[in-house]
mmCIF file of all heavy atoms in Angstrom:
data_model
loop_
_atom_site.group_PDB
_atom_site.id
_atom_site.type_symbol
_atom_site.label_atom_id
_atom_site.label_comp_id
_atom_site.label_asym_id
_atom_site.label_seq_id
_atom_site.Cartn_x
_atom_site.Cartn_y
_atom_site.Cartn_z
ATOM 1 N N ALA L 125 7.849 -3.858 21.634
ATOM 2 C CA ALA L 125 8.364 -3.636 20.282
ATOM 3 C C ALA L 125 9.843 -3.993 20.207
ATOM 4 O O ALA L 125 10.552 -3.953 21.221
ATOM 5 C CB ALA L 125 8.153 -2.178 19.881
ATOM 6 N N VAL L 126 10.266 -4.344 19.000
ATOM 7 C CA VAL L 126 11.688 -4.575 18.744
ATOM 8 C C VAL L 126 12.061 -3.854 17.452
ATOM 9 O O VAL L 126 11.221 -3.680 16.570
ATOM 10 C CB VAL L 126 12.032 -6.081 18.611
ATOM 11 C CG1 VAL L 126 11.791 -6.794 19.934
ATOM 12 C CG2 VAL L 126 11.252 -6.751 17.486
ATOM 13 N N ALA L 127 13.302 -3.437 17.358
ATOM 14 C CA ALA L 127 13.743 -2.738 16.149
ATOM 15 C C ALA L 127 15.148 -3.177 15.769
ATOM 16 O O ALA L 127 15.963 -3.500 16.634
ATOM 17 C CB ALA L 127 13.711 -1.231 16.368
ATOM 18 N N ALA L 128 15.387 -3.178 14.456
ATOM 19 C CA ALA L 128 16.707 -3.486 13.899
ATOM 20 C C ALA L 128 17.251 -4.824 14.387
ATOM 21 O O ALA L 128 18.438 -4.955 14.666
ATOM 22 C CB ALA L 128 17.692 -2.349 14.199
ATOM 23 N N VAL L 129 16.368 -5.823 14.484
ATOM 24 C CA VAL L 129 16.858 -7.162 14.826
ATOM 25 C C VAL L 129 17.217 -7.895 13.537
ATOM 26 O O VAL L 129 16.594 -7.712 12.501
ATOM 27 C CB VAL L 129 15.846 -7.967 15.682
ATOM 28 C CG1 VAL L 129 15.683 -7.323 17.053
ATOM 29 C CG2 VAL L 129 14.506 -8.134 14.990
ATOM 30 N N ARG L 130 18.245 -8.712 13.600
ATOM 31 C CA ARG L 130 18.794 -9.339 12.387
ATOM 32 C C ARG L 130 18.683 -10.860 12.375
ATOM 33 O O ARG L 130 19.001 -11.493 11.382
ATOM 34 C CB ARG L 130 20.271 -8.942 12.225
ATOM 35 C CG ARG L 130 20.477 -7.438 12.019
ATOM 36 C CD ARG L 130 21.967 -7.088 11.982
ATOM 37 N NE ARG L 130 22.680 -7.856 10.969
ATOM 38 C CZ ARG L 130 22.797 -7.492 9.694
ATOM 39 N NH1 ARG L 130 22.284 -6.351 9.287
ATOM 40 N NH2 ARG L 130 23.442 -8.251 8.834
ATOM 41 N N HIS L 131 18.265 -11.432 13.485
ATOM 42 C CA HIS L 131 18.288 -12.894 13.568
ATOM 43 C C HIS L 131 17.037 -13.505 14.170
ATOM 44 O O HIS L 131 17.028 -14.687 14.467
ATOM 45 C CB HIS L 131 19.501 -13.332 14.399
ATOM 46 C CG HIS L 131 20.795 -12.813 13.848
ATOM 47 N ND1 HIS L 131 21.384 -13.335 12.722
ATOM 48 C CD2 HIS L 131 21.580 -11.787 14.236
ATOM 49 C CE1 HIS L 131 22.483 -12.657 12.450
ATOM 50 N NE2 HIS L 131 22.618 -11.712 13.354
ATOM 51 N N VAL L 132 16.007 -12.714 14.372
ATOM 52 C CA VAL L 132 14.804 -13.211 15.030
ATOM 53 C C VAL L 132 13.805 -13.649 13.961
ATOM 54 O O VAL L 132 13.345 -12.834 13.160
ATOM 55 C CB VAL L 132 14.183 -12.115 15.927
ATOM 56 C CG1 VAL L 132 12.911 -12.624 16.586
ATOM 57 C CG2 VAL L 132 15.201 -11.654 16.954
ATOM 58 N N LEU L 138 8.844 -11.820 19.433
ATOM 59 C CA LEU L 138 9.763 -11.167 20.366
ATOM 60 C C LEU L 138 9.140 -9.887 20.929
ATOM 61 O O LEU L 138 9.278 -9.590 22.118
ATOM 62 C CB LEU L 138 11.105 -10.882 19.680
ATOM 63 C CG LEU L 138 12.199 -10.356 20.606
ATOM 64 C CD1 LEU L 138 12.504 -11.332 21.733
ATOM 65 C CD2 LEU L 138 13.473 -10.046 19.819
ATOM 66 N N VAL L 142 8.620 -8.946 24.791
ATOM 67 C CA VAL L 142 9.056 -7.680 25.404
ATOM 68 C C VAL L 142 7.908 -7.113 26.233
ATOM 69 O O VAL L 142 8.092 -6.669 27.374
ATOM 70 C CB VAL L 142 9.513 -6.664 24.325
ATOM 71 C CG1 VAL L 142 9.734 -5.282 24.942
ATOM 72 C CG2 VAL L 142 10.785 -7.138 23.636
ATOM 73 N N SER L 146 9.291 -8.452 29.861
ATOM 74 C CA SER L 146 10.328 -7.491 30.251
ATOM 75 C C SER L 146 9.668 -6.283 30.911
ATOM 76 O O SER L 146 8.450 -6.145 30.881
ATOM 77 C CB SER L 146 11.146 -7.037 29.032
ATOM 78 O OG SER L 146 10.476 -5.991 28.346
ATOM 79 N N HIS L 148 10.188 -3.390 29.786
ATOM 80 C CA HIS L 148 10.399 -2.345 28.796
ATOM 81 C C HIS L 148 9.350 -2.391 27.691
ATOM 82 O O HIS L 148 8.561 -3.324 27.601
ATOM 83 C CB HIS L 148 11.800 -2.503 28.199
ATOM 84 C CG HIS L 148 12.865 -2.553 29.254
ATOM 85 N ND1 HIS L 148 13.143 -1.490 30.077
ATOM 86 C CD2 HIS L 148 13.686 -3.566 29.649
ATOM 87 C CE1 HIS L 148 14.107 -1.830 30.919
ATOM 88 N NE2 HIS L 148 14.450 -3.086 30.685
ATOM 89 N N LEU L 150 10.403 -1.063 24.264
ATOM 90 C CA LEU L 150 11.131 -1.175 22.996
ATOM 91 C C LEU L 150 12.569 -1.632 23.241
ATOM 92 O O LEU L 150 13.302 -0.981 23.980
ATOM 93 C CB LEU L 150 11.133 0.191 22.288
ATOM 94 C CG LEU L 150 11.973 0.353 21.026
ATOM 95 C CD1 LEU L 150 11.533 -0.595 19.918
ATOM 96 C CD2 LEU L 150 11.895 1.796 20.520
ATOM 97 N N LEU L 151 12.940 -2.749 22.618
ATOM 98 C CA LEU L 151 14.326 -3.220 22.667
ATOM 99 C C LEU L 151 14.870 -3.227 21.242
ATOM 100 O O LEU L 151 14.161 -3.626 20.311
ATOM 101 C CB LEU L 151 14.407 -4.634 23.247
ATOM 102 C CG LEU L 151 14.073 -4.808 24.734
ATOM 103 C CD1 LEU L 151 14.174 -6.285 25.127
ATOM 104 C CD2 LEU L 151 14.991 -3.969 25.619
ATOM 105 N N VAL L 152 16.131 -2.817 21.073
ATOM 106 C CA VAL L 152 16.691 -2.753 19.725
ATOM 107 C C VAL L 152 17.961 -3.593 19.599
ATOM 108 O O VAL L 152 18.645 -3.870 20.594
ATOM 109 C CB VAL L 152 17.021 -1.300 19.293
ATOM 110 C CG1 VAL L 152 15.804 -0.407 19.466
ATOM 111 C CG2 VAL L 152 18.206 -0.743 20.056
ATOM 112 N N GLY L 153 18.242 -3.979 18.352
ATOM 113 C CA GLY L 153 19.516 -4.582 17.977
ATOM 114 C C GLY L 153 19.969 -5.725 18.860
ATOM 115 O O GLY L 153 19.203 -6.634 19.185
ATOM 116 N N SER L 154 21.249 -5.664 19.260
ATOM 117 C CA SER L 154 21.845 -6.795 19.968
ATOM 118 C C SER L 154 21.182 -7.025 21.327
ATOM 119 O O SER L 154 21.084 -8.164 21.788
ATOM 120 C CB SER L 154 23.349 -6.585 20.134
ATOM 121 O OG SER L 154 23.588 -5.364 20.800
ATOM 122 N N GLY L 155 20.711 -5.978 21.974
ATOM 123 C CA GLY L 155 20.031 -6.145 23.262
ATOM 124 C C GLY L 155 18.738 -6.915 23.097
ATOM 125 O O GLY L 155 18.393 -7.777 23.923
ATOM 126 N N ALA L 156 18.023 -6.623 22.017
ATOM 127 C CA ALA L 156 16.780 -7.345 21.730
ATOM 128 C C ALA L 156 17.092 -8.815 21.450
ATOM 129 O O ALA L 156 16.368 -9.716 21.894
ATOM 130 C CB ALA L 156 16.076 -6.717 20.532
ATOM 131 N N GLU L 157 18.204 -9.067 20.736
ATOM 132 C CA GLU L 157 18.537 -10.444 20.382
ATOM 133 C C GLU L 157 19.061 -11.228 21.584
ATOM 134 O O GLU L 157 18.819 -12.430 21.710
ATOM 135 C CB GLU L 157 19.487 -10.449 19.183
ATOM 136 C CG GLU L 157 18.719 -9.908 17.974
ATOM 137 C CD GLU L 157 19.415 -10.009 16.645
ATOM 138 O OE1 GLU L 157 20.656 -9.935 16.596
ATOM 139 O OE2 GLU L 157 18.708 -10.158 15.639
ATOM 140 N N GLU L 158 19.729 -10.540 22.484
ATOM 141 C CA GLU L 158 20.149 -11.171 23.743
ATOM 142 C C GLU L 158 18.896 -11.617 24.511
ATOM 143 O O GLU L 158 18.829 -12.732 25.050
ATOM 144 C CB GLU L 158 20.956 -10.149 24.564
ATOM 145 C CG GLU L 158 21.547 -10.681 25.846
ATOM 146 C CD GLU L 158 22.666 -11.686 25.610
ATOM 147 O OE1 GLU L 158 23.382 -11.566 24.608
ATOM 148 O OE2 GLU L 158 22.790 -12.610 26.446
ATOM 149 N N PHE L 159 17.897 -10.749 24.539
ATOM 150 C CA PHE L 159 16.635 -11.063 25.217
ATOM 151 C C PHE L 159 15.944 -12.244 24.519
ATOM 152 O O PHE L 159 15.392 -13.140 25.175
ATOM 153 C CB PHE L 159 15.736 -9.816 25.215
ATOM 154 C CG PHE L 159 14.399 -10.012 25.869
ATOM 155 C CD1 PHE L 159 14.303 -10.309 27.225
ATOM 156 C CD2 PHE L 159 13.226 -9.896 25.132
ATOM 157 C CE1 PHE L 159 13.058 -10.486 27.833
ATOM 158 C CE2 PHE L 159 11.981 -10.069 25.734
ATOM 159 C CZ PHE L 159 11.906 -10.371 27.087
ATOM 160 N N ALA L 160 16.018 -12.288 23.189
ATOM 161 C CA ALA L 160 15.425 -13.403 22.430
ATOM 162 C C ALA L 160 16.082 -14.719 22.832
ATOM 163 O O ALA L 160 15.412 -15.735 23.029
ATOM 164 C CB ALA L 160 15.584 -13.161 20.931
ATOM 165 N N LEU L 161 17.423 -14.686 22.969
ATOM 166 C CA LEU L 161 18.164 -15.883 23.401
ATOM 167 C C LEU L 161 17.688 -16.344 24.773
ATOM 168 O O LEU L 161 17.423 -17.523 24.987
ATOM 169 C CB LEU L 161 19.657 -15.556 23.486
ATOM 170 C CG LEU L 161 20.537 -15.854 22.288
ATOM 171 C CD1 LEU L 161 21.944 -15.363 22.541
ATOM 172 C CD2 LEU L 161 20.537 -17.354 21.997
ATOM 173 N N GLU L 162 17.589 -15.406 25.690
ATOM 174 C CA GLU L 162 17.154 -15.739 27.053
ATOM 175 C C GLU L 162 15.751 -16.333 27.058
ATOM 176 O O GLU L 162 15.440 -17.217 27.850
ATOM 177 C CB GLU L 162 17.151 -14.482 27.934
ATOM 178 C CG GLU L 162 18.525 -13.999 28.329
ATOM 179 C CD GLU L 162 18.462 -12.623 29.006
ATOM 180 O OE1 GLU L 162 17.394 -12.250 29.522
ATOM 181 O OE2 GLU L 162 19.495 -11.931 28.985
ATOM 182 N N GLU L 163 14.913 -15.841 26.162
ATOM 183 C CA GLU L 163 13.509 -16.265 26.125
ATOM 184 C C GLU L 163 13.288 -17.511 25.268
ATOM 185 O O GLU L 163 12.164 -18.005 25.161
ATOM 186 C CB GLU L 163 12.645 -15.121 25.576
ATOM 187 C CG GLU L 163 12.403 -14.012 26.576
ATOM 188 C CD GLU L 163 11.577 -14.478 27.770
ATOM 189 O OE1 GLU L 163 10.587 -15.190 27.550
ATOM 190 O OE2 GLU L 163 11.943 -14.156 28.907
ATOM 191 N N LEU L 167 16.003 -18.098 16.662
ATOM 192 C CA LEU L 167 16.945 -17.238 15.934
ATOM 193 C C LEU L 167 17.406 -17.940 14.667
ATOM 194 O O LEU L 167 17.510 -19.168 14.634
ATOM 195 C CB LEU L 167 18.155 -16.910 16.815
ATOM 196 C CG LEU L 167 17.849 -16.150 18.109
ATOM 197 C CD1 LEU L 167 19.110 -15.954 18.947
ATOM 198 C CD2 LEU L 167 17.221 -14.799 17.800
#
Side-chain angles (χ1 to χ4, degrees):
V126 295
V129 294
R130 297 175 55 87
H131 303 285
V132 179
L138 187 59
V142 170
S146 83
H148 307 295
L150 173 61
L151 291 179
V152 307
S154 56
E157 294 188 329
E158 184 69 32
F159 179 64
L161 266 176
E162 286 171 22
E163 284 295 316
L167 299 176

